[in-house]
Amino acid sequence: MGGLRELHLGFVDLSGQGGEWCTALARYTPNLRVLSMPYSELTGPICGSIAGLQSLSVIDLQHNHLTGPFPEFFVELSSLSVLQLSYNDLHGWVPPSIFQHKRLVTIDLHQIPGLSGTLPNFSADSNLENLLVGNTNFSGSIPSSISNLKSLKKLGLGAQGFVGDLPSSISELKFLSSLQVSGLEVVGSMPPWITNLTSLEVLELSLCGLHGPVPSSICELSKLRILSLYSCNFSGKIPPCIFNLTQLDTLLLHSNNFSGEVELNSLWKLPNYLT
């Protein structure tokens, strides 16, 4: 199979293979470009011999049982554009340089609690469209240079180790459709610049130190499907105009300090309301 370019084995039970899948691929498919094996019950570490597959552009190994440290050699795969490792049991430090990879469009590390790291300064020549590190052990501040990611569509920073203010430069990400942030040391009030993100469909600010009222200007985000503002310190009245967001199907506002009354029949205004 030396000429194989793409391997798609999603939802195939390979639980009995141990680490053999990894060494076999490195040995017998030297020209592989697409490695897609999600939901395949894979176990063991990602072996270092995968570094020899220099043509790899897509690595999709999400929803498996992979263990061991984050493979630093991913940084050296010059053609890599998609890296999806979410929902695995990897651990250790993620080198910040992986986020500065010139060709990466998607880096998805969410739901890997054993991974830690920090975000680097981002350069203007980045091609990132999806940056997801939610439910990891990432920490530190969110760099203002994140505004250099002009093509960014999904930004998932739901790691409780993040600290400081949300940089207002996020408002420059005009194509952003999903923004998820948490962190007990992420402080301040609801930033007014959020309403500049007119493409937002998902807004989640949870498990954080944000406080104060939720401004009624949030209702200007008319494309919102999911609005999650829970387990923070928001207070005051819930803006009634939220119930006029016709695309909304999920609304989570629990575990805050809201006051006042909400008429239950307001929910009837939400034609897609499910949660």
Side-chain angles (χ1 to χ4, degrees), residues 91-142:
H91 64 264
W93 181 259
V94 178
S97 54
I98 192 66
F99 300 100
Q100 298 169 318
H101 194 290
K102 299 301 182 184
R103 292 199 177 185
L104 265 180
V105 173
T106 294
I107 180 166
D108 182 358
L109 305 177
H110 81 277
Q111 290 290 349
I112 311 180
L115 289 184
S116 59
T118 58
L119 297 179
N121 285 321
F122 295 99
S123 62
D125 59 352
S126 173
N127 290 306
L128 274 176
E129 295 181 6
N130 305 292
L131 170 55
L132 305 171
V133 295
N135 291 315
T136 63
N137 198 31
F138 270 65
S139 59
S141 59
I142 301 169

Coordinates of all heavy atoms in Angstrom, one line a residue, residues 91-142:
H91 N -1.5 13.6 27.5 CA -1.1 14.5 28.6 C 0.2 15.2 28.2 O 0.8 15.0 27.2 CB -0.9 13.7 29.9 CG 0.3 12.7 29.7 ND1 0.1 11.4 29.4 CD2 1.6 12.9 29.9 CE1 1.3 10.8 29.3 NE2 2.2 11.6 29.6
G92 N 0.5 16.2 29.1 CA 1.8 16.9 28.9 C 1.6 18.2 28.3 O 0.5 18.8 28.1
W93 N 2.7 18.8 27.9 CA 2.8 20.2 27.5 C 2.7 20.2 25.9 O 3.3 19.4 25.2 CB 4.2 20.8 27.9 CG 4.4 22.2 27.5 CD1 5.1 22.6 26.4 CD2 3.9 23.4 28.1 NE1 5.1 24.0 26.3 CE2 4.4 24.5 27.4 CE3 3.1 23.6 29.2 CZ2 4.1 25.8 27.7 CZ3 2.8 24.9 29.6 CH2 3.3 26.0 28.9
V94 N 1.9 21.2 25.5 CA 1.7 21.4 24.1 C 2.6 22.6 23.7 O 2.4 23.7 24.2 CB 0.2 21.7 23.7 CG1 0.1 22.0 22.2 CG2 -0.7 20.6 24.1
P95 N 3.6 22.4 22.8 CA 4.5 23.5 22.4 C 3.7 24.6 21.8 O 2.9 24.4 20.9 CB 5.5 22.8 21.5 CG 4.8 21.6 21.0 CD 3.9 21.2 22.1
P96 N 3.9 25.9 22.2 CA 3.1 27.0 21.6 C 3.4 27.1 20.1 O 2.5 27.7 19.4 CB 3.7 28.2 22.4 CG 4.2 27.7 23.7 CD 4.7 26.3 23.4
S97 N 4.5 26.6 19.7 CA 4.8 26.7 18.2 C 3.8 26.0 17.3 O 3.7 26.3 16.1 CB 6.2 26.2 18.0 OG 6.4 24.9 18.5
I98 N 3.1 25.0 17.9 CA 2.1 24.4 17.0 C 1.0 25.3 16.6 O 0.4 25.2 15.5 CB 1.4 23.2 17.8 CG1 0.6 22.3 16.8 CG2 0.6 23.6 19.0 CD1 1.4 21.6 15.8
F99 N 0.7 26.4 17.4 CA -0.3 27.4 17.0 C 0.2 28.4 16.0 O -0.5 29.2 15.5 CB -0.8 28.1 18.3 CG -1.4 27.2 19.3 CD1 -0.7 26.8 20.4 CD2 -2.7 26.7 19.1 CE1 -1.3 25.9 21.3 CE2 -3.3 25.9 20.0 CZ -2.6 25.5 21.1
Q100 N 1.5 28.3 15.8 CA 2.2 29.2 14.8 C 2.5 28.5 13.5 O 3.1 29.1 12.6 CB 3.4 29.8 15.4 CG 3.1 30.7 16.7 CD 4.4 31.0 17.4 OE1 5.3 30.2 17.6 NE2 4.5 32.3 17.9
H101 N 2.0 27.3 13.4 CA 2.3 26.5 12.2 C 1.7 27.2 11.0 O 0.5 27.6 11.0 CB 1.6 25.1 12.3 CG 2.0 24.1 11.3 ND1 1.7 24.2 10.0 CD2 2.8 23.0 11.4 CE1 2.2 23.2 9.3 NE2 2.9 22.4 10.2
K102 N 2.4 27.4 9.9 CA 2.0 28.2 8.8 C 0.8 27.7 8.0 O 0.0 28.5 7.5 CB 3.1 28.4 7.8 CG 4.4 29.1 8.4 CD 4.0 30.5 9.0 CE 5.3 31.1 9.6 NZ 5.0 32.4 10.2
R103 N 0.6 26.4 8.0 CA -0.5 25.8 7.2 C -1.7 25.4 8.0 O -2.7 25.0 7.4 CB 0.1 24.6 6.3 CG 1.1 25.1 5.3 CD 1.2 24.0 4.2 NE 2.1 24.4 3.1 CZ 2.3 23.7 2.0 NH1 1.7 22.6 1.9 NH2 3.1 24.2 1.1
L104 N -1.6 25.3 9.3 CA -2.7 24.7 10.0 C -3.9 25.6 9.9 O -3.9 26.8 10.1 CB -2.3 24.6 11.5 CG -1.8 23.3 12.0 CD1 -1.4 23.3 13.5 CD2 -2.8 22.2 11.7
V105 N -5.0 25.0 9.6 CA -6.3 25.6 9.5 C -7.1 25.3 10.7 O -7.9 26.1 11.3 CB -7.1 25.2 8.2 CG1 -8.5 25.7 8.2 CG2 -6.3 25.7 7.0
T106 N -7.0 24.0 11.2 CA -7.8 23.6 12.3 C -6.8 22.9 13.3 O -6.1 22.0 12.9 CB -8.9 22.5 11.9 OG1 -9.9 23.2 11.1 CG2 -9.6 21.9 13.2
I107 N -6.9 23.3 14.6 CA -6.3 22.6 15.7 C -7.3 22.4 16.8 O -7.8 23.4 17.4 CB -5.0 23.3 16.2 CG1 -4.4 22.5 17.3 CG2 -5.3 24.8 16.5 CD1 -2.9 23.0 17.6
D108 N -7.7 21.2 17.0 CA -8.7 20.8 17.9 C -8.2 19.9 19.0 O -7.9 18.7 18.7 CB -9.9 20.1 17.1 CG -11.1 19.8 18.0 OD1 -11.0 20.1 19.2 OD2 -12.1 19.3 17.5
L109 N -8.0 20.5 20.2 CA -7.5 19.7 21.3 C -8.5 19.7 22.5 O -8.1 19.4 23.6 CB -6.2 20.4 21.8 CG -5.0 20.5 20.8 CD1 -3.8 21.2 21.4 CD2 -4.6 19.2 20.2
H110 N -9.7 20.0 22.2 CA -10.6 20.2 23.4 C -11.0 18.8 23.9 O -10.9 17.8 23.3 CB -11.9 21.0 23.0 CG -12.9 20.2 22.2 ND1 -12.9 20.0 20.9 CD2 -14.1 19.7 22.7 CE1 -14.0 19.3 20.5 NE2 -14.7 19.1 21.6
Q111 N -11.4 18.9 25.2 CA -11.7 17.7 26.0 C -10.6 16.7 26.1 O -10.7 15.5 26.1 CB -12.9 17.0 25.3 CG -14.3 17.7 25.4 CD -14.8 17.7 26.9 OE1 -14.3 17.1 27.7 NE2 -15.8 18.5 27.1
I112 N -9.4 17.3 26.4 CA -8.2 16.5 26.8 C -7.7 17.2 28.0 O -6.7 18.0 28.0 CB -7.1 16.5 25.7 CG1 -7.8 16.1 24.3 CG2 -6.1 15.5 26.0 CD1 -6.8 16.1 23.2
P113 N -8.2 16.9 29.2 CA -7.9 17.6 30.4 C -6.4 17.5 30.8 O -5.9 18.3 31.5 CB -8.7 16.9 31.5 CG -9.9 16.2 30.7 CD -9.3 15.9 29.4
G114 N -5.7 16.4 30.3 CA -4.3 16.3 30.7 C -3.3 17.1 30.0 O -2.1 17.2 30.3
L115 N -3.8 17.9 29.0 CA -2.9 18.7 28.2 C -2.8 20.1 28.8 O -3.8 20.7 29.2 CB -3.4 18.9 26.7 CG -3.3 17.7 25.8 CD1 -3.8 18.0 24.4 CD2 -1.9 17.1 25.8
S116 N -1.6 20.7 28.9 CA -1.4 22.0 29.4 C -0.6 22.8 28.3 O 0.0 22.2 27.4 CB -0.7 22.0 30.7 OG 0.6 21.3 30.6
G117 N -0.6 24.1 28.5 CA 0.1 25.0 27.6 C -0.4 26.4 27.7 O -1.2 26.7 28.5
T118 N 0.2 27.2 26.9 CA -0.2 28.7 26.8 C -0.3 29.0 25.3 O 0.2 28.4 24.4 CB 0.9 29.6 27.5 OG1 2.2 29.3 26.8 CG2 1.0 29.2 29.0
L119 N -1.0 30.1 25.1 CA -1.2 30.6 23.7 C 0.0 31.6 23.4 O 0.4 32.4 24.2 CB -2.5 31.3 23.6 CG -3.7 30.5 23.8 CD1 -5.0 31.3 23.6 CD2 -3.8 29.3 22.8
P120 N 0.6 31.5 22.2 CA 1.7 32.3 21.8 C 1.2 33.7 21.2 O 0.0 33.9 21.1 CB 2.4 31.5 20.7 CG 1.2 30.8 20.0 CD 0.2 30.5 21.1
N121 N 2.1 34.5 20.8 CA 1.7 35.6 20.0 C 1.5 35.1 18.6 O 2.3 34.3 18.0 CB 2.8 36.7 20.0 CG 2.9 37.5 21.3 OD1 1.8 37.8 21.8 ND2 4.1 37.7 21.8
F122 N 0.4 35.5 18.0 CA 0.0 35.0 16.7 C 0.4 36.0 15.6 O 0.4 37.2 15.8 CB -1.5 34.8 16.6 CG -2.1 33.8 17.5 CD1 -2.6 34.1 18.7 CD2 -2.0 32.5 17.2 CE1 -3.1 33.2 19.6 CE2 -2.5 31.5 18.0 CZ -3.1 31.8 19.2
S123 N 0.9 35.5 14.5 CA 1.4 36.3 13.4 C 0.3 36.5 12.4 O -0.7 35.7 12.3 CB 2.6 35.7 12.7 OG 2.3 34.4 12.2
A124 N 0.4 37.5 11.6 CA -0.6 37.9 10.6 C -0.7 36.9 9.4 O -1.7 36.9 8.7 CB -0.4 39.3 10.1
D125 N 0.3 36.1 9.3 CA 0.2 35.1 8.1 C -0.4 33.8 8.5 O -0.3 32.8 7.8 CB 1.6 34.9 7.5 CG 2.6 34.4 8.6 OD1 2.3 34.3 9.7 OD2 3.8 34.1 8.1
S126 N -1.0 33.7 9.7 CA -1.6 32.5 10.1 C -2.9 32.2 9.3 O -3.6 33.1 8.9 CB -2.0 32.6 11.6 OG -2.8 31.5 12.0
N127 N -3.1 30.9 9.1 CA -4.3 30.5 8.3 C -5.4 29.8 9.2 O -6.4 29.3 8.7 CB -3.9 29.5 7.2 CG -3.1 30.1 6.1 OD1 -3.6 31.1 5.5 ND2 -2.0 29.6 5.8
L128 N -5.2 29.9 10.5 CA -6.1 29.3 11.5 C -7.6 29.7 11.3 O -7.9 30.9 11.3 CB -5.7 29.5 12.9 CG -4.7 28.5 13.5 CD1 -4.3 29.0 14.9 CD2 -5.2 27.1 13.5
E129 N -8.5 28.7 11.2 CA -9.9 29.0 11.1 C -10.6 28.5 12.4 O -11.7 29.0 12.8 CB -10.5 28.4 9.9 CG -10.0 29.0 8.6 CD -10.7 28.4 7.4 OE1 -11.6 27.6 7.5 OE2 -10.3 28.7 6.2
N130 N -10.0 27.4 13.0 CA -10.6 26.8 14.1 C -9.6 26.5 15.2 O -8.6 25.8 14.9 CB -11.3 25.5 13.8 CG -12.3 25.6 12.6 OD1 -13.4 26.2 12.8 ND2 -12.0 25.1 11.5
L131 N -9.7 27.2 16.3 CA -8.7 27.0 17.4 C -9.5 26.6 18.7 O -10.3 27.4 19.3 CB -8.0 28.3 17.7 CG -7.1 28.5 18.9 CD1 -6.1 27.3 19.0 CD2 -6.5 29.8 18.9
L132 N -9.4 25.3 19.1 CA -10.2 24.8 20.2 C -9.3 24.1 21.2 O -8.7 23.1 21.0 CB -11.2 23.8 19.6 CG -12.1 24.3 18.4 CD1 -12.8 23.1 17.8 CD2 -13.0 25.3 18.9
V133 N -9.3 24.7 22.4 CA -8.6 24.1 23.5 C -9.4 24.1 24.8 O -8.9 24.1 25.9 CB -7.2 24.9 23.8 CG1 -6.3 24.7 22.6 CG2 -7.5 26.4 24.1
G134 N -10.7 24.0 24.6 CA -11.6 24.0 25.8 C -11.5 22.7 26.6 O -11.2 21.6 26.0
N135 N -11.7 22.8 27.9 CA -11.6 21.6 28.8 C -10.3 21.0 28.7 O -10.1 19.7 28.7 CB -12.8 20.6 28.5 CG -14.1 21.1 28.9 OD1 -14.3 21.7 29.9 ND2 -15.1 21.0 28.0
T136 N -9.3 21.8 28.7 CA -7.9 21.4 28.8 C -7.3 22.1 30.0 O -8.0 22.7 30.8 CB -7.0 21.8 27.6 OG1 -7.0 23.2 27.5 CG2 -7.6 21.2 26.3
N137 N -6.0 21.9 30.3 CA -5.4 22.6 31.4 C -4.5 23.7 30.9 O -3.5 24.1 31.6 CB -4.5 21.5 32.1 CG -4.1 22.0 33.5 OD1 -4.9 22.7 34.2 ND2 -3.0 21.6 34.0
F138 N -4.9 24.4 29.8 CA -4.2 25.5 29.3 C -4.4 26.7 30.3 O -5.4 26.7 31.1 CB -4.8 26.0 28.0 CG -4.1 25.3 26.8 CD1 -4.1 23.9 26.6 CD2 -3.3 26.1 25.9 CE1 -3.5 23.3 25.6 CE2 -2.7 25.5 24.9 CZ -2.7 24.1 24.7
S139 N -3.4 27.6 30.3 CA -3.4 28.7 31.3 C -2.8 29.9 30.7 O -2.4 29.9 29.5 CB -2.7 28.3 32.6 OG -1.3 27.9 32.2
G140 N -2.7 31.0 31.5 CA -2.1 32.2 31.1 C -3.1 33.2 30.5 O -4.3 33.0 30.5
S141 N -2.6 34.2 29.9 CA -3.5 35.3 29.3 C -3.8 35.0 27.9 O -3.1 34.2 27.2 CB -2.8 36.7 29.5 OG -1.6 36.7 28.8
I142 N -4.9 35.6 27.4 CA -5.3 35.4 26.0 C -4.6 36.6 25.3 O -4.9 37.8 25.5 CB -6.8 35.5 25.9 CG1 -7.4 34.3 26.7 CG2 -7.2 35.4 24.4 CD1 -8.9 34.4 26.8

